[in-house]
Every structure is written in structure tokens, then in C-alpha cells.
């Protein structure tokens, strides 16, 4: 995310709810950084339909439930967006992550 790394992971919870795990590696200088998910490509047109997952807070780890449309075969994309700046700070294509980083773990 623009040179400010986050660690990403995925797990299937006992409730069978897929969960995204995010661990920021440093505090984000932008305020109110929202984490959004979209099943398709990132564009200005898809932004309004992106699903809000949560908000980064300092260096706190997050475990965010993924929407029912999520599929490990087509994991979609994450968007990191600053609410006050109304600006997308970066995106991550979950399918492009190494399989050992983004995979089901039990």
C-alpha cells in the first residue's frame, strides 16, 4: 500500500466464515483508512459497490469477515481508502499474492 506494508492472510473460521487477517507493519499517516473489498477490477465505477470490511487503527491487527460473495478461487481485490481525503491509497489483488500467504489455514 504505497510503500507502507501490511501483512495479509486468510482463514476459514470455525463458523465457515472466511476471514481476512491484516497486520499493518507501521502506523498509517493518513486518517481513517478504510479497508474495502470488491470482487472485480478496481476502478472509479466499482468503488461505490465495494464492500466495507473495516478500518485500520494504528498497528493493530484486524480479523475482518469477508462477504458472502468471496470465493478462494476468485478472491477479488482489497482497497485501502482514506475517508477524509476521499482518496484510494492503494489496492491489492488477492489472487496475485503468494499461495503460502493467502490461503486457507485450519
Amino acid at each position: 500500500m504505497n510503500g507502507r506494508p501490511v501483512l495479509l492472510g486468510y482463514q476459514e473460521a470455525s463458523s465457515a466464515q472466511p476471514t481476512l487477517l491484516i497486520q499493518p507493519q507501521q502506523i498509517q499517516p493518513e486518517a481513517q483508512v478504510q479497508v474495502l473489498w470488491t470482487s472485480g477490477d478496481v476502478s472509479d465505477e466499482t468503488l461505490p459497490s465495494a464492500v466495507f470490511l473495516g478500518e485500520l487503527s494504528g498497528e493493530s491487527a484486524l480479523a475482518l469477515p469477508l462477504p458472502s460473495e468471496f470465493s478462494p478461487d476468485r478472491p477479488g481485490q482489497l482497497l485501502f481508502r482514506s475517508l477524509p481525503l476521499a482518496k484510494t491509497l492503494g489496492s491489492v489483488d488477492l489472487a496475485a499474492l503468494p499461495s503460502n500467504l493467502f490461503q486457507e489455514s485450519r
Side-chain angles (χ1 to χ4, degrees):
M1 186 174 77
N2 287 354
R4 293 182 292 279
V6 294
L7 295 178
L8 299 172
Y10 161 78
Q11 70 181 13
E12 188 93 30
S14 57
S15 65
Q17 172 72 45
T19 303
L20 176 71
L21 308 172
I22 299 179
Q23 175 63 63
Q25 296 302 287
Q26 63 189 49
I27 294 174
Q28 306 301 312
E30 296 85 6
Q32 293 179 290
V33 177
Q34 296 182 324
V35 181
L36 306 164
W37 177 86
T38 182
S39 60
D41 293 332
V42 175
S43 70
D44 289 338
E45 292 78 38
T46 60
L47 194 56
S49 64
V51 177
F52 174 77
L53 299 178
E55 193 171 291
L56 296 180
S57 177
E59 291 183 73
S60 299
L62 297 174
L64 305 171
L66 288 158
S68 58
E69 302 88 4
F70 174 85
S71 165
D73 297 331
R74 297 180 60 194
Q77 303 221 16
L78 289 183
L79 300 167
F80 296 92
R81 185 160 174 82
S82 171
L83 186 61
L85 298 176
K87 173 182 168 187
T88 299
L89 304 173
S91 64
V92 176
D93 181 353
L94 296 177
L97 292 176
S99 61
N100 64 343
L101 181 64
F102 190 74
Q103 65 181 350
E104 185 174 343
S105 60
R106 295 177 188 257

